[in-house]
Each structure stands twice: as C-alpha cells, then as structure tokens.
C-alpha cells in the first residue's frame, strides 16, 4: 500500500535526517563529478526517420557533395560607410585574410572565397551570392562535417576568431548558421535565480517563517543539481537538445517547490495538532506525498508519451526532463522529510516578521487560525467557495466562456521555427541575418537543398534546374553539382522569402508536390528537398499530425489514473475536460502574443514568429501533468471531507477552501518561475515560459477556484458515482483518504456505487 510505504519512508527520513541529507550530498557530488568527467554539451538535431528531408540528407551524404554537414557563415561589411569591396584594396585584403584564418580552424572542410571571386570579376562574385550587388556586404560560407564529428568547441573557436579579428581588421564581422543553432548555450542561469528569489518571497509570505520558506528552496536546488548533472551525463551518450536543460530547470524548479509546499503544509498541520515532528513528517509524506507521487508520475508518463511523434530529439528531450521530475518526486518524499526532522518543532511557529504580517492580515480580515498553515486560512476562501456553490450556473458558464474565448486564437495557430531574425539585435546571429537579408534577399538565410538521383535519366538534372528556377517562390538556383561516382546531383535553391515565412512553407510544399514530379515525370529518377529549413518544416508537420494521437493517449491515461485514485467516473471526466480548457486558453494566448504580436514587447519579443513546431506537444504533456498536481491535491482533500461527513456540499466548501491557500501559493511560485524564463533572448524559451505560466495561472484560479466548485456542486452526489461492476474490477485501496484519519479508527462512509 502506497500510503503505508510513504509513511514509513517519511518517518524514517525524519528520524535520521543527517544520514539522508549526507546521502543526497554524496549523490549530488557524484552526479556533478560524473557530469564533469563523462558529460557532453547539448546539441540540436532536427531530423526524423522517414521524412523527405531525411531522404535528401541520405542522398547528399552518399554523394559526398559537402552539403551534408554543418555550416556557418561569416558576414562582413567595411566599417567605413563609403568603402565597397569592389573598389577598395584594403577591404579586399582584409576579406582575404579573414577567409584564410577561418579556413585554418579545426574541422573546417572548406570555405567560399568572395575575394577570389572578385578577382575573377565583379559579376562572378555577385552571381555566386558571395558579394552583394552594391559591393558592401560579403559572405564567407564555412563547411563543416556532420554534427556527430563536431562539438561546442568548434563554435567557440569560430566565435573567438571573430572577436580577435574585429580588433585587427577594418571590417564589421557577424556570424550565424546551423553551427550556432546546434551548439549555442541555451538561456538559463539568471532566469533560474530570478525564479528562485521570487519563489522564496512567496513562500515567506505564505508561511511567515524564513526556515519554512528555505526548506522547499533547498530541496529544489538539491534536486535540480542532481537532475541537470544527470542530464549532462546523458548528453555525453546521445544528442540532448539545447532546450532540455532550460525546460528541465523550469519544470524542475516549479514542481520541486510545489511538491515541497504541499508536504510542508501538511507537516505544519500535524505539528499544530500536537504530533511529534518525526510522526508529523511521516504522516505528511503519507498524505500529501501520495498526490505528489501520482502527480509526478502523471507528468513523467505524459512527457514520455511524446515518443509517439517518432522524432528522436523530442523523445530524448522528454527523457531528460522526466529525469528531473522523477528526482524532484524522490526528493519530496526523502530529502524534504529529513529537512523537516532536522528543523524539529520550529516549523510550527512563524517568525517575528511572519507573526506581524499575519497579525495584520488577521486583524483586517477577521480570519480564524487554521492548523494547516499554522495561521488563519480559510475564512475568506470559505466565503468565496460558498458563494460560488450557491450560484454554480452563472459561475460555470462565465468561467467556461472566458476560457473558450481565450482559446479562439488557436484556430490561427501556425507552427514553424523562428529564424535568427526573431533574436534580439544584441546577438551576432541576428545581425548577420539582417546583413544577409539586406544584401542578398531574405531567402538567402534559409536555402533549400534538392538532392536528385538520376537513375540513368541523363536529362533530369537540366529539367530540375529549369522547372525549379521557373517557380515564383524561388529567387535563384546555384549551379548543380554532380558526383561522378554516384551520379547524385545537388542543387542549392534560394527562396524569395525568409525561413519562417508561411510563403516559404508553401514553396517547399509546391516543390515536392508539383515542381519535382513535373521534372522527373514518370522516369526512374527520384528527388528530395532537404536543408535546415526543410527539416524544420517536416518535423513541424509530423508533430502536428501525431498531436491528436498523443492528446488522446494522455487524456485516456489521466482519466484511468484519476478513476483509480478517486473511484469515480465523473470526477476524472470533469478533470480531463477542465484541464483541456486551461491548456487550450494557454495555446490561444501564445498565438495572440507570438503570432499576432499582442503584448510581445512586454517580454522583449522584437518580431512576430510562428509557434515552434514541437512546443504544443511538449506544453500539453507538461501542463496536463502539472494540472494534475492541483487536481489530485484539491480532490484528495474534498474526498477526505466527503468520506468524513458524507455531505457533498460541505466537502466541496471545506476541501477547496482548505487547499486554496496552498494551491494559489504554489501557482504563484510556478508562475514566477516560468515568467522569469519568458524574458529570455530565445523565442522558444519565451514560448515555454509564457505558455506554462499562463496555463498554471488560469488553472489555479479560474479552473480550481471557480469551475471545480461550480461543476461539483451541479453534479452533487453523482461526483462519486461508480458502477458496481467497475467497482469490483478496480483495485482496492484508500482512494485519496487521509491516512491520519483512517489510522485513528475513523471509518470512512460508503461510496456512492450503483448496485
């Protein structure tokens, strides 16, 4: 039985706190040492089996044309506004030296030579896309081998060279390319610190005690250290995407502090009842720890379910984030009770500042003291929940209407991947992007690569060049390169629009469905479209296609889990539908901010961007799991009250009011942590932060404090209805009951079961 196991685990940790704390210190030290010795750097690999872009990559690799590896581009312009590369020998000499220095870097297979092209003639350099028409901008394209043979050290070497040459050459030097995308460090650090400080302030206001506020933070820091170090070790074995550490930190801090808050609140309640600190810690883990285990398990299973997308980098990212969540659950039921045991009875008392704050609030609101937090909780919440329960129809309709209205922008959802043009101007990738777009056109930032296997058809390459060039979405086509050994030809194609523009996706689709089939006709040749822009588009399309299957699987799993926990049909069904409402509203707000630009300046968004292709699936997995935290925690208390009183109305008011303060405090912590990431530079990190913060805020307020009491009041005793045949099939156990109550001999009242 889970409750008994958690009771023994929590009580044992509280009785021997220093042993448990020492064990966690050793685990953290070993994890960090392993990360240093065996860890790797994160890297993005936007590929997936079976995609057209992947088939193109396989052909390109077979041909050995040099297009199969990573690329970078060094974009330069003279510092003097009146100078061009056409007529200034000094600028051309500096360009020659820059190219030579780049070519000498480790692992560089080759570079373009704009200065050499200028020696051959101005028209040659312009037609080759190496120097702009006005002679002001030149591009040195750098070819690297495939990603498996590179590391972040290659990016560091290129960046360091640029920093040195900026001081030595009369050129403005900017850099970008897939090498930056694959190996740039993700945002974090400062965001994590801001989130921790905000969480500490909220915890102090919630508990009025520095010690009580410090324990969840300390537990979360321990867990995050072990989790991120483990993720780093995983990166030494396989490609862990760059967003995984950021998302892991974001979710790990949020759930870790939340889980600790739930357990700590119960512990203080039992201390207020006069229990010994060791016994109080054990019972807190047995009661609040049960929802924590179920909720954490839901988060993990939901995230791991993303494997249905069959996109390897998403699967690995999900595994990495799940590891952090699992460690936070383990810390909540072992390390936290050890902290509680070490703190002793002091946690039952508020500090001097906390007492003053609570005295002021108590005097103003006239609230009575409540044992769950060692102070007054629920008078205000009880009045509010009672008010909602007396007027359930208008509140249910109004809250549901609000969430549905916020969901409407989802109808305009467009997935893609923000290009470097969406980064802030402080980043060299953005400045390089702008220079290339200015000198050569926006499509030059996202070339497509067509790989063709003629299969004995000698005229197919010429037909491909002619038909592709004639397409209105194509600005230019570089001369075809054919490998003599394999016969495979590659064409580098430059669209007229930027990589994140919807028109580029339309062009890509038209090439595959109309242009290439027309050129190949019914012959034996085959052609595929690859390149970074095509790969990202293909991944987005696959995740969109698999999203309904994934959503259905997560909903079914969550329904079954909640039915087992609460032994009811309508309670889990209602929970699933309400969670969908809050997640849908979060999606809608993301579309309004990132695609429509509403309020984007508030989070530092400099341009509208499509929703990153893999974020909707990731957000659904994480948010559905996190919303289960509040659902299980709240309904566990409602269920306890129903078992104790047998009255549905009383159970709703007392259960929701008794958990409202903890849920709102936990939600504020999560919102603060997630919003601290919404101001990061990278648009993907902004989307994760804003999406998670919005959904949690709506879920903890509109859903938990309005829709849940309103709908449960309307359903009445039917909330706990369970068919007799299903009741016999389901495993028996204390479905969310308070272990402390049952252990004192208080008999639970019968459930409402159809006989």
């Amino acid at each position: 039985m889970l409750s008994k196991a958690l009771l023994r685990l929590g009580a044992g940790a509280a009785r021997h706190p220093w042993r448990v704390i020492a064990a966690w210190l050793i685990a953290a030290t070993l994890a960090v040492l392993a990360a240093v010795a065996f860890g790797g750097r994160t890297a993005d690999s936007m590929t997936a089996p079976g995609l057209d872009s992947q088939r193109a990559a396989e052909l390109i690799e077979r041909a050995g044309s040099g297009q199969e590896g990573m690329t970078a581009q060094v974009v330069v312009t003279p510092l003097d506004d009146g100078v061009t590369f056409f007529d200034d020998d000094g600028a051309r000499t500096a360009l020659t030296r820059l190219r030579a220095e780049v070519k000498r870097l480790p692992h560089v297979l080759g570079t373009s030579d704009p200065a050499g092209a200028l020696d051959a003639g101005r028209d040659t350099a312009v037609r080759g896309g190496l120097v702009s028409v006005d002679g002001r901008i030149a591009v040195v394209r750098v070819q690297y081998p495939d990603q498996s043979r590179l590391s972040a050290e290659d990016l560091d070497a290129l960046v360091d060279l640029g920093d040195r040459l900026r001081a030595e050459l009369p050129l403005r030097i900017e850099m970008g390319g897939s090498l930056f995308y694959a190996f740039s460090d993700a945002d974090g650090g400062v965001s994590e610190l801001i989130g921790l400080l905000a969480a500490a302030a909220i915890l102090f206001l919630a508990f009025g005690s520095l010690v009580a506020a410090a324990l969840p933070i300390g537990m979360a820091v321990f867990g995050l250290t072990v989790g991120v170090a483990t993720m780093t070790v995983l990166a030494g074995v396989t490609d862990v995407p760059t967003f995984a550490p950021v998302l892991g930190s974001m979710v790990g801090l949020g759930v870790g502090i939340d889980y600790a808050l739930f357990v700590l609140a119960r512990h203080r309640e039992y201390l207020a009842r006069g229990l010994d600190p060791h016994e109080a810690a054990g019972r807190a883990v047995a009661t609040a720890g049960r929802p924590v285990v179920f909720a954490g398990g839901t988060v993990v299973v939901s995230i791991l379910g993303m494997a249905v997308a069959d996109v390897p980098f998403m699967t690995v990212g999900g595994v990495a984030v799940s590891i952090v969540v699992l460690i936070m659950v383990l810390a909540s039921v072992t390390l936290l009770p050890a902290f509680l045991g070490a703190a002793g009875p002091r946690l039952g008392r508020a500090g001097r500042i906390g007492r003053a704050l609570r005295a002021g609030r108590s005097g103003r609101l006239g609230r009575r003291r409540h044992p769950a937090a060692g102070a007054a909780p629920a008078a205000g919440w009880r009045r509010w929940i009672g008010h909602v329960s007396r007027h359930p129809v208008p509140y249910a309709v109004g809250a549901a209407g609000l969430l549905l209205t916020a969901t409407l922008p989802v109808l305009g959802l467009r997935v893609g991947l923000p290009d470097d043009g969406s980064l802030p101007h402080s980043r060299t990738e953005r400045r390089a992007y702008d220079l290339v777009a200015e000198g050569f056109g926006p499509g030059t930032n996202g070339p497509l690569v067509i790989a063709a296997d003629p299969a004995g058809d000698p005229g197919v390459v010429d037909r491909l060049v002619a038909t592709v060039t004639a397409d209105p979405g194509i600005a230019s086509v570089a001369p075809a390169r054919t490998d003599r050994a394999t016969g495979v030809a590659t064409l580098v194609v430059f669209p007229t629009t930027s990589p994140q523009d919807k028109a580029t996706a339309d062009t890509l689709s038209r090439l595959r469905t109309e242009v290439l089939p027309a050129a190949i006709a019914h012959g034996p040749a085959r052609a595929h479209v690859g390149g970074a822009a095509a790969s990202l588009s293909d991944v987005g399309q696959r995740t969109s296609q698999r999203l309904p299957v994934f959503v259905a699987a997560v909903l079914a799993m969550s329904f079954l889990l909640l039915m087992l926990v609460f032994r009811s049909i309508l309670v889990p069904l209602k929970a699933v539908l309400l969670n969908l409402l809050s997640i849908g509203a979060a999606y809608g707000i993301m579309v309004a901010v990132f695609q429509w630009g509403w309020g984007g300046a508030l989070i530092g968004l400099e341009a509208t961007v499509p929703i990153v292709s893999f974020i909707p699936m990731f957000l659904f997995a994480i948010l559905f799991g996190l919303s289960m935290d509040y659902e299980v925690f709240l309904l566990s208390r409602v269920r306890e009250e129903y078992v104790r009183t047998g009255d549905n109305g009383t159970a709703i008011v007392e259960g929701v009011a008794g958990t409202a303060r903890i849920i709102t405090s936990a939600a504020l912590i999560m919102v603060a942590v997630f919003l601290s990431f919404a101001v990061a530079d990278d648009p993907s990190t902004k989307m994760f932060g804003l999406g998670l913060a919005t959904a949690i805020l709506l879920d903890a307020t509109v859903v938990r404090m309005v829709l849940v009491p309103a709908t449960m009041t309307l359903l009445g005793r039917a909330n706990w209805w369970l068919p007799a045949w299903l009741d016999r099939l389901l495993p028996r156990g204390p479905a969310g009951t308070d272990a402390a109550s049952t252990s004192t001999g208080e008999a639970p009242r019968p459930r409402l079961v159809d006989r």
Side-chain angles (χ1 to χ4, degrees):
M1 185 186 295
L2 180 59
S3 294
K4 290 184 178 179
L6 291 174
L7 178 66
R8 290 194 296 270
L9 186 63
R15 287 192 184 93
H16 308 286
W18 300 115
R19 296 181 187 177
V20 176
I21 294 171
W24 272 91
L25 277 172
I26 293 172
T29 302
L30 291 176
V32 171
L33 291 175
V36 172
F38 308 109
R41 294 279 293 269
T42 57
D44 288 315
S45 179
M46 293 286 187
T47 59
L51 298 177
D52 189 66
S53 55
Q54 181 65 24
R55 296 189 182 100
E58 292 167 357
L59 274 180
I60 294 169
E61 184 175 4
R62 196 178 98 194
S65 63
Q67 296 290 341
E68 70 274 14
M70 304 294 295
T71 60
Q73 57 184 11
V74 182
V75 190
V76 297
T77 185
L79 292 175
D80 189 335
D81 289 340
V83 172
T84 73
F85 291 111
F86 291 154
D87 52 26
D88 189 273
D89 292 337
R92 194 176 298 188
T93 300
L95 183 58
T96 301
R97 180 187 166 192
L98 180 142
R99 185 249 180 181
E101 296 260 15
V102 171
K103 192 174 182 179
R104 285 198 292 267
L105 289 174
H107 298 132
V108 170
L109 300 178
T111 67
S112 63
D113 186 5
L118 284 170
D119 292 338
R122 177 183 302 189
D123 291 342
T124 302
V126 172
R127 284 199 307 270
L130 301 178
V131 180
S132 62
V133 174
D134 62 2
R136 286 282 302 162
I137 300 170
V139 177
V140 177
R141 295 190 174 92
V142 189
Q143 186 66 50
Y144 286 91
D146 62 82
Q147 185 171 328
S148 63
R149 296 162 60 188
L150 301 175
S151 70
E153 294 178 357
D154 293 286
L155 175 60
D156 295 339
L158 181 61
V159 171
D160 291 343
L161 175 63
D163 291 339
R164 177 169 63 82
L165 293 181
R166 286 187 185 98
E168 299 176 3
L169 300 178
L171 300 174
R172 174 186 166 193
I173 302 173
E174 307 297 349
M175 300 178 176
S178 60
L179 188 72
F180 282 78
Y181 180 80
F183 295 110
S184 289
D185 287 327
D187 295 320
V190 175
S191 296
E192 296 167 11
L193 180 59
I194 294 172
L196 282 172
L197 293 176
I202 295 168
L203 285 167
F204 177 70
L205 291 175
F207 290 114
S209 166
L210 289 174
V211 175
L215 294 187
I217 299 292
M219 189 213 80
V221 170
F222 257 102
L224 196 60
T225 300
V226 177
V228 172
T230 304
M231 194 182 299
T232 304
V233 174
L234 181 64
V237 178
T238 186
D239 287 337
V240 175
T242 54
F243 67 79
V246 175
L247 190 57
S249 298
M250 201 184 306
V251 175
L253 284 178
V255 301
I257 295 173
D258 261 21
Y259 294 164
L261 182 61
F262 295 160
V263 175
L264 179 58
R266 276 301 180 94
H267 177 73
R268 285 163 63 91
E269 175 183 346
Y270 291 131
L271 286 179
R273 293 181 185 178
L275 270 66
D276 177 83
H278 300 159
E279 185 178 0
R283 293 198 178 190
V285 173
T287 52
R290 182 186 177 93
V292 164
V293 171
F294 276 113
T298 305
V299 174
V300 170
V301 173
S302 297
I303 295 175
L304 293 179
M306 289 188 303
V308 302
D310 194 23
V311 178
F313 82 90
M314 290 179 59
T315 302
V316 175
V319 170
V321 175
S322 297
I323 289 173
V324 178
V325 175
L326 282 174
I327 290 172
M328 288 300 181
V329 171
L330 182 62
S332 299
V333 297
T334 57
L335 180 60
L336 182 62
F339 284 163
L340 300 179
R346 289 174 293 173
L347 289 177
R349 302 188 299 269
R352 182 180 301 175
I353 299 176
R355 288 195 298 271
L357 289 172
R358 294 187 182 282
R361 288 202 299 268
S362 180
R364 288 192 302 271
L365 300 177
R367 295 181 295 190
R368 64 183 179 82
R369 294 185 64 79
H370 182 269
W381 285 113
R382 190 176 288 108
R383 286 194 296 271
W384 167 251
I385 302 303
H387 174 70
V388 172
S389 299
R390 290 191 297 273
H391 307 88
V393 174
Y395 276 104
V397 172
L402 174 66
L403 294 178
L404 286 173
T405 301
T407 304
L408 287 177
V410 171
L411 298 176
L413 175 68
R414 180 171 70 88
V415 299
L417 193 82
D419 55 34
D420 287 345
S422 60
L423 294 174
H425 286 90
S426 59
R427 297 274 291 267
T428 186
E429 302 100 296
R430 169 61 185 274
R431 298 192 296 270
Y433 178 96
D434 289 344
L435 282 175
V436 169
E438 176 188 341
F440 305 96
T444 311
N445 281 298
L448 304 174
V449 182
I450 297 177
D453 182 358
D457 185 347
V460 70
V461 175
D462 292 337
R463 295 198 303 271
L464 280 172
V465 172
T467 54
V468 170
T469 303
D471 187 87
I474 301 301
S476 62
V477 178
R481 298 174 59 181
T482 302
D483 178 63
R484 292 183 179 180
T486 62
V488 173
T490 55
L491 289 78
V492 179
V493 178
F494 298 97
T496 58
T497 49
S498 67
Q500 71 177 21
D501 198 310
K502 184 179 183 299
T504 304
D506 295 338
T507 297
L508 175 62
S509 175
R510 192 168 56 251
L511 288 175
R512 286 171 169 165
T513 59
E514 300 175 19
V515 176
L516 299 188
I520 293 173
H522 299 290
R526 58 192 179 100
H528 306 283
V529 186
S535 296
L536 296 173
S537 178
D538 289 352
V539 168
Q541 187 174 13
R542 171 167 287 185
T543 55
S544 297
Q545 291 171 346
R546 302 289 175 89
L547 184 60
V549 176
F550 169 72
V551 168
V554 171
L555 294 181
M557 180 272 298
S558 301
F559 177 84
L560 292 174
L561 179 62
L562 289 175
M563 185 172 63
L564 286 171
V565 174
F566 296 109
R567 304 190 72 81
S568 163
I569 294 292
L570 294 182
V571 162
L573 180 61
K574 171 190 61 64
V576 165
L577 294 176
L578 295 186
N579 288 344
L580 277 178
L581 276 178
S582 62
I583 295 172
Y587 281 2
I589 291 171
M590 284 175 57
V591 171
V593 172
F594 290 96
Q595 288 185 208
W596 300 353
W598 293 6
L602 297 176
I603 58 172
L605 188 68
E606 298 186 2
T608 57
V609 294
I611 303 302
V612 177
S613 55
F614 55 84
I615 281 184
M617 186 175 284
F618 254 105
L619 279 184
F620 187 88
I622 294 168
L623 288 172
F624 210 89
L626 295 181
S627 63
M628 287 293 105
D629 292 1
Y630 301 137
E631 186 72 20
V632 173
F633 187 68
L634 184 151
L635 290 180
S636 293
R637 293 299 291 261
V638 173
R639 179 69 178 167
E640 290 173 23
E641 295 295 332
Y642 182 72
V643 167
R644 185 176 63 84
T645 66
D647 181 81
N648 185 67
T650 301
I652 293 170
V653 174
E654 294 298 323
V656 178
T659 56
R661 183 176 181 176
I662 299 301
I663 286 178
T664 51
S665 297
L668 281 175
I669 290 170
M670 276 206 181
V671 169
V673 170
F674 295 152
L675 281 181
S676 68
F677 287 85
V679 296
D681 286 346
D682 183 64
S684 302
T685 304
K686 289 181 186 291
M687 287 181 197
F688 276 126
L690 183 67
L692 290 169
T694 302
I696 293 299
L697 180 63
L698 292 173
D699 189 83
T701 54
V702 178
V703 173
R704 302 301 150 205
M705 300 301 125
V706 179
L707 274 173
V708 167
T711 53
M712 291 190 77
T713 299
L714 291 172
L715 291 173
R717 286 175 58 83
N719 281 302
W720 312 110
W721 171 73
L722 186 71
W725 63 269
L726 187 56
D727 183 57
R728 288 191 294 270
L729 289 176
L730 294 178
R732 294 286 176 178
T737 57
D738 187 327
S741 302
T742 56
S743 67
T744 59
E746 183 179 335
R749 296 177 183 244
R751 288 182 290 273
L752 182 61
V753 179
D754 267 354
R755 299 294 178 187

